[in-house]
Amino acid sequence: QLQLVESGGGLVQPGGSLNLSCVTSGFPFSNYAIGWFRQAPGKEREGISCISASGKGTKYGDSVKGRFTISRDNAKSTVYLQMDSLAAEDTGVYYCAATNPPPGLRDMCYITERGYRVWGQGTQVTVSS
């Protein structure tokens, strides 16, 4: 059974940091690109970061570039999202999702939802003083 489980969310003050984890199981992790998405209250879900199956490619949305860092540990089948300099606008539910690209595209990833077939249940991040 393909499964993704996010953790690491919580309440943090503006300027603080959180490190989200996405633990996966049930599929060959090293063949999959992983994306992080978030949904703020009253807004549509947006893609914020991704890492390619090979780990060689990453992407960030403009709103998080320079503040968030994505990484993967294939031995643990886990992707991390280090979030620094958090602001109120970063509040929302954070989801990770998996997509299986063809072999020739395993150095690439994208942060649009199309193609991501497996999703986690989400973890809440609240940035507030």
Side-chain angles (χ1 to χ4, degrees):
Q1 181 180 358
L2 281 65
Q3 192 172 15
L4 291 82
V5 179
E6 304 94 336
S7 64
L11 174 64
V12 63
Q13 291 188 341
S17 298
L18 284 174
N19 190 21
L20 304 184
S21 298
C22 172
V23 179
T24 74
S25 61
F27 59 92
F29 179 71
S30 61
N31 289 350
Y32 281 71
I34 305 294
W36 281 98
F37 300 80
R38 73 181 176 196
Q39 187 162 24
K43 295 187 177 181
E44 292 188 356
R45 191 159 57 188
E46 66 169 325
I48 57 173
S49 185
C50 66
I51 187 164
S52 67
S54 69
K56 294 179 181 179
T58 58
K59 274 192 171 65
Y60 298 92
D62 289 341
S63 62
V64 306
K65 204 171 293 183
R67 300 187 298 123
F68 290 11
T69 304
I70 192 169
S71 62
R72 65 189 293 154
D73 184 338
N74 284 1
K76 296 182 178 179
S77 297
T78 300
V79 169
Y80 303 98
L81 186 69
Q82 176 65 39
M83 307 188 297
D84 299 317
S85 302
L86 285 163
E89 307 84 78
D90 296 313
T91 293
V93 180
Y94 284 67
Y95 301 89
C96 62
T99 182
N100 182 18
L105 295 179
R106 287 187 179 157
D107 289 344
M108 302 173 62
C109 67
Y110 52 89
I111 51 174
T112 53
E113 292 190 25
R114 187 171 65 88
Y116 283 91
R117 297 189 295 114
V118 189
W119 290 78
Q121 83 290 346
T123 185
Q124 176 70 45
V125 171
T126 302
V127 185
S128 175
S129 56

